[in-house]
C-alpha cells in the first residue's frame, strides 16, 4: 500500500494544489454551479475511460480504493486490503453502506461490477484486465485473483467504480452499452451509486444536477445543497460566466485569460502541474489508410514517415505561442511524478524540417501526401489550436493534413472505434505508474483489454513481453530497467509522437474552497462555499 505514497512524497511536482481547504463546519449551506468546456457522454461509470467523464461520476459512484488530497491511497468501499498469495489480493468490504436507492452494498456488487467491466461496451477492460476472477469469501470479503503476481493492483482500481447488481438487473442495464455506437440504456441518463452525491437530473449537453446523499456512510466537508454542472464550450462565454457570477467555478481557464481573471475582483485562479501527457497517434496497422490519397499502402507504417512527422513539429513554438508557456515538452508517454519515468530519455528529437523532408523522400514520398487528422476541440487545453499548428507544420514537408476537429462527445466514439488515421489523445495513468501507460497505450491490442487505447495499433513483441513482466516484477531496480527498455524501444520506433504535459488552470469565485489534484479530478465532497 505504500509504493505510491513513497513516490508521491518524493515527487516535487504534482501532488497537491489547494486553496486553504477547511472544514465546512459553520459555513452556510449553498448551491454550487461549475462548468467545463466539455460534457460527460454517459452517467454509466463503465462506459468511457476518460477523465472528465470519470470525475463527474466519481461524485455518484465509489471505488474500493480511492485517492486522498495528496493522491495517497485511501479506503472507500474497501476498509483494508492485503496480498494473501502472490496472485491473490483480499479486500475487506465496508459494511452498512447503501446505494442511493437504499439497496445494501455487498460482495455481490463487486463481483457483478467486475463481470460487467469485462463485456463488450465496457471501457474499463484495462482496469480489470490483469484480474482473472473475483471470488466471494463472504458478504464482505472478496479475493481478486490475478493470472500473474500484480503488486500494484490497489493503485490501478481507484477509478473503477462499483455499481448495484440489483439496480442494474432491475433496469436492464446489466451490461454497459457501447458509446462508440451511440447506444443508450437506463445507466446512460440515470445513476445509482454509493457516493456522497446523487444524480438529480441529467440533460446531456445542457446540465447535470447533483444533490447530497443523506444516507452517505461518511462525513463530507462540503456544504453544497445542490451542484449544477454546465458544459460551456466557448472560452469567452465560460470566462464571462465566471466574472458575472453566473457560475462559481470553471475549468480550464483559457491561457490567454489567466491574467485577466487574476485581476478580477471576486475571482481566484488556481494553477498547478498536471500528470496528463498529450500525444499523437498514427495508424500503423491497416494496409491502406482510411483517410489518405495514398491507395494500396500505408505510409505511416514506415518509421521514416513517423519520424518525419515528429521532427517537423516545432514543439517550442507550440509551447510559447499556443500554450503561453503552460506546457512541458516531452519525449515520453508519462510525466515526471509517474513511477517509472526515465529522466535521461526525456529528450525530444530536434525540430528539423530539412531532416524531415529527407526522411519523407527516403521513404518514397518526396512530394508528401494527404492524411486526415482527428482532434477534439473541447477536451484538452487549446487542443484544436495545437492541431491547427501541427497542420501548418506538416505542410512544410508536403503533408496536407485534412483536420477534423469536433466536440469530444462525437470525437471519442469515433477514435475509440479506431475510425482514424492520425489523432490526438491525452492520458493520465490513474495508477501513477508507468505500467498503466504501457498496458493501455502501447501494448498490442487484445480482447482482454491490453492496448485498448492503442488506437493506431503500434505493436512490438519485445515491448509486450516487457510490459507483462513489469506488471508482476517486485524488484524495483529490475522493474525500472524493464520500463526504461520498453520506453526506449517505443521511442526509437516512433510508436507515438509525445507532445507535452499541459498545466492545470481553474477559475473560481473567492468564496469557493476546493482541492486541485494533479490528475485533474475535482471532487464535490471537498468543495466548500463560504
Amino acid at each position: 500500500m505504500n509504493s505510491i505514497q513513497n513516490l508521491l512524497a518524493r515527487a516535487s511536482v504534482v501532488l497537491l494544489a489547494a486553496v486553504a481547504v477547511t472544514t465546512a463546519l459553520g459555513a452556510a449551506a449553498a448551491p454550487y454551479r461549475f462548468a467545463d468546456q466539455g460534457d460527460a457522454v454517459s452517467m454509466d461509470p463503465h462506459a468511457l475511460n476518460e477523465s472528465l467523464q470519470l470525475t463527474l461520476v466519481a461524485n455518484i459512484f465509489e471505488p474500493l480504493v480511492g485517492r486522498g488530497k495528496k493522491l495517497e491511497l485511501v479506503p472507500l468501499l474497501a476498509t483494508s486490503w492485503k496480498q494473501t498469495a502472490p496472485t491473490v489480493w483480499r479486500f475487506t468490504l465496508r459494511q452498512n453502506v447503501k446505494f442511493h436507492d437504499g439497496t445494501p452494498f455487498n460482495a455481490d456488487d463487486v463481483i457483478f461490477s467486475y463481470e460487467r467491466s469485462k463485456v463488450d461496451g465496457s471501457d474499463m477492460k484495462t482496469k480489470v484486465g490483469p484480474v482473472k476472477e473475483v471470488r466471494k469469501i463472504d458478504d464482505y470479503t472478496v479475493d481478486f485473483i490475478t493470472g500473474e503476481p500484480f503488486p500494484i493492483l490497489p493503485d490501478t482500481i481507484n477509478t473503477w467504480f462499483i455499481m448495484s447488481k440489483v439496480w442494474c438487473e432491475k433496469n436492464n442495464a446489466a451490461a454497459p452499452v457501447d458509446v462508440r455506437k451511440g447506444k443508450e440504456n437506463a445507466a446512460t441518463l440515470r445513476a445509482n451509486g454509493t457516493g456522497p452525491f446523487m444524480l438529480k437530473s441529467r440533460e446531456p449537453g445542457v446540465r447535470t444536477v447533483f444533490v447530497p446523499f443523506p444516507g452517505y456512510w461518511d462525513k463530507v466537508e462540503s456544504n453544497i445543497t445542490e451542484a449544477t454542472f454546465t458544459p460551456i464550450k466557448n472560452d469567452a462565454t465560460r470566462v464571462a460566466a465566471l466574472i458575472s457570477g453566473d457560475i462559481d467555478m470553471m475549468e480550464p481557464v483559457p491561457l490567454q485569460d489567466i491574467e485577466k481573471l487574476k485581476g478580477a475582483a471576486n475571482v481566484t485562479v488556481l494553477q498547478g502541474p498536471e500528470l496528463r501527457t498529450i500525444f499523437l497517434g498514427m495508424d500503423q496497422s491497416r494496409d491502406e489508410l482510411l483517410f489518405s490519397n495514398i491507395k494500396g499502402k500505408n505510409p505511416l507504417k514506415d518509421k521514416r514517415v513517423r519520424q518525419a512527422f515528429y521532427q517537423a513539429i516545432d514543439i517550442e513554438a507550440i509551447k510559447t505561442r499556443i500554450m503561453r508557456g503552460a506546457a512541458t515538452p516531452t519525449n515520453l508517454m508519462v510525466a515526471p511524478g509517474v513511477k517509472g519515468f526515465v529522466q535521461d530519455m526525456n529528450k525530444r528529437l530536434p525540430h528539423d524540417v530539412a531532416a524531415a523532408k529527407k526522411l519523407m523522400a527516403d521513404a518514397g514520398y518526396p512530394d508528401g501526401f494527404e492524411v486526415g487528422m482527428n482532434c477534439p476541440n473541447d477536451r484538452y487545453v487549446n487542443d484544436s489550436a495545437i492541431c491547427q499548428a501541427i497542420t501548418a507544420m506538416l505542410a512544410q514537408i508536403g503533408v496536407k493534413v485534412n483536420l477534423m476537429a469536433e466536440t469530444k462527445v462525437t470525437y471519442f466514439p469515433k477514435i475509440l472505434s479506431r475510425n482514424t488515421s492520425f489523432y490526438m489523445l491525452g492520458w493520465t495513468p490513474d495508477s501513477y505508474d508507468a505500467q498503466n501507460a504501457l498496458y493501455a497505450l502501447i501494448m498490442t491490442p487484445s480482447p482482454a483489454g491490453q492496448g485498448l487505447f492503442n488506437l493506431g495499433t503500434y505493436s512490438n513483441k519485445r515491448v509486450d513481453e516487457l510490459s507483462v513482466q513489469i506488471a508482476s516484477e517486485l524488484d524495483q531496480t529490475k522493474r525500472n530497467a524493464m520500463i526504461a527498455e520498453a520506453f526506449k524501444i517505443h521511442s526509437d520506433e516512433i510508436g507515438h509522437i509525445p507532445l507535452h504535459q499541459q498545466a492545470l488552470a481553474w477559475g473560481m469565485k473567492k468564496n469557493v474552497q476546493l482541492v486541485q489534484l494533479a490528475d485533474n479530478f475535482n471532487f464535490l465532497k471537498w468543495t466548500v462555499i463560504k
Side-chain angles (χ1 to χ4, degrees), residues 12 31 55 70 88 129 173 185 207 212 218 229 234 312 396 400 442 459 466 524:
S12 61
T55 191
K70 296 182 180 180
V88 180
N185 66 7
R207 67 179 62 83
D218 196 12
F229 171 79
N234 183 272
Q396 295 181 317
K400 180 184 178 184
I442 296 175
S459 181
L466 286 165
L524 293 175

Side-chain angles (χ1 to χ4, degrees), residues 64-376:
L64 300 180
V65 183
R67 297 282 178 184
K69 293 178 182 178
K70 296 182 180 180
L71 294 180
E72 75 280 15
L73 292 181
V74 296
L76 288 177
L77 291 181
T79 56
S80 63
W81 50 93
K82 62 181 178 180
Q83 272 189 289
T84 57
T87 59
V88 180
W89 276 94
R90 175 160 293 181
F91 290 82
T92 301
L93 305 182
R94 191 176 299 279
Q95 300 187 33
N96 301 314
V97 172
K98 293 185 183 299
F99 287 93
H100 297 161
D101 66 353
T103 305
F105 157 74
N106 58 40
D108 293 337
D109 300 303
V110 178
I111 295 170
F112 168 78
S113 296
Y114 165 70
E115 296 294 343
R116 191 178 191 272
S117 297
K118 295 193 302 178
V119 304
D120 289 342
S122 166
D123 216 27
M124 294 296 125
K125 294 178 182 178
T126 58
K127 296 186 185 297
V128 298
V131 180
K132 301 302 180 185
E133 179 188 359
V134 178
R135 186 177 300 161
K136 180 177 178 179
I137 306 303
D138 58 43
D139 281 348
Y140 295 100
T141 311
V142 292
D143 280 352
F144 280 59
I145 316 298
T146 59
E148 301 290 338
F150 192 51
I152 64 168
L153 176 66
D155 298 274
T156 68
I157 58 174
N158 62 93
T159 55
W160 176 62
F161 299 110
I162 305 302
M163 299 187 74
S164 165
K165 179 177 187 289
V166 171
W167 185 89
C168 287
E169 292 179 345
K170 178 181 177 181
N171 290 280
N172 298 314
V177 291
D178 195 341
V179 295
R180 300 163 182 79
K181 299 176 181 177
K183 296 183 178 180
E184 292 185 358
N185 66 7
T188 307
L189 296 174
R190 297 159 55 196
N192 181 45
T194 60
F197 285 82
M198 303 183 294
L199 180 65
K200 179 180 179 181
S201 63
R202 167 73 175 162
E203 298 174 70
V206 181
R207 67 179 62 83
T208 303
V209 182
F210 306 86
V211 292
F213 175 36
Y216 187 54
W217 58 266
D218 196 12
K219 294 180 180 180
V220 296
E221 296 174 13
S222 172
N223 63 334
I224 294 171
T225 54
E226 182 174 279
T228 301
F229 171 79
T230 305
I232 305 176
K233 180 177 179 179
N234 183 272
D235 287 346
T237 304
R238 203 164 60 251
V239 169
L242 180 62
I243 292 175
S244 68
D246 289 339
I247 57 175
D248 301 299
M249 181 269 177
M250 57 85 89
E251 62 164 310
V253 176
L255 299 177
Q256 66 272 17
D257 291 317
I258 288 177
E259 294 306 315
K260 174 183 177 181
L261 285 181
K262 284 182 176 179
N266 195 37
V267 173
T268 295
V269 176
L270 188 59
Q271 294 176 270
E274 186 177 14
L275 287 176
R276 186 187 317 277
T277 297
I278 306 297
F279 62 90
L280 305 177
M282 299 153 286
D283 181 354
Q284 298 164 59
S285 173
R286 291 181 175 90
D287 292 329
E288 180 179 298
L289 288 176
L290 290 179
F291 305 103
S292 177
N293 65 334
I294 300 294
K295 303 304 177 185
K297 56 183 176 179
N298 179 352
L300 296 179
K301 282 188 172 185
D302 192 319
K303 176 200 165 180
R304 293 170 295 185
V305 174
R306 300 195 299 273
Q307 183 171 335
F309 276 38
Y310 187 126
Q311 293 199 258
I313 295 172
D314 186 347
I315 198 67
E316 289 298 325
I318 291 174
K319 173 184 175 179
T320 57
R321 298 173 195 170
I322 297 175
M323 298 299 290
R324 298 181 180 234
T328 303
T330 184
N331 185 53
L332 291 176
M333 297 290 281
V334 295
V338 172
K339 193 173 185 180
F341 177 81
V342 189
Q343 180 62 50
D344 292 344
M345 291 173 54
N346 197 32
K347 183 178 180 181
R348 291 179 59 85
L349 292 174
H351 169 234
D352 190 331
V353 174
K357 286 181 176 179
K358 184 177 187 304
L359 286 164
M360 290 288 288
D362 291 347
Y365 304 99
D367 300 319
F369 55 86
E370 292 185 26
V371 65
M373 181 182 189
N374 297 100
C375 184

Side-chain angles (χ1 to χ4, degrees), residues 505-519:
W506 297 0
M508 68 214 71
K509 292 166 66 175
K510 288 186 176 178
N511 67 331
V512 174
Q513 299 176 332
L514 49 72
V515 175
Q516 184 185 74
L517 300 174
D519 60 4

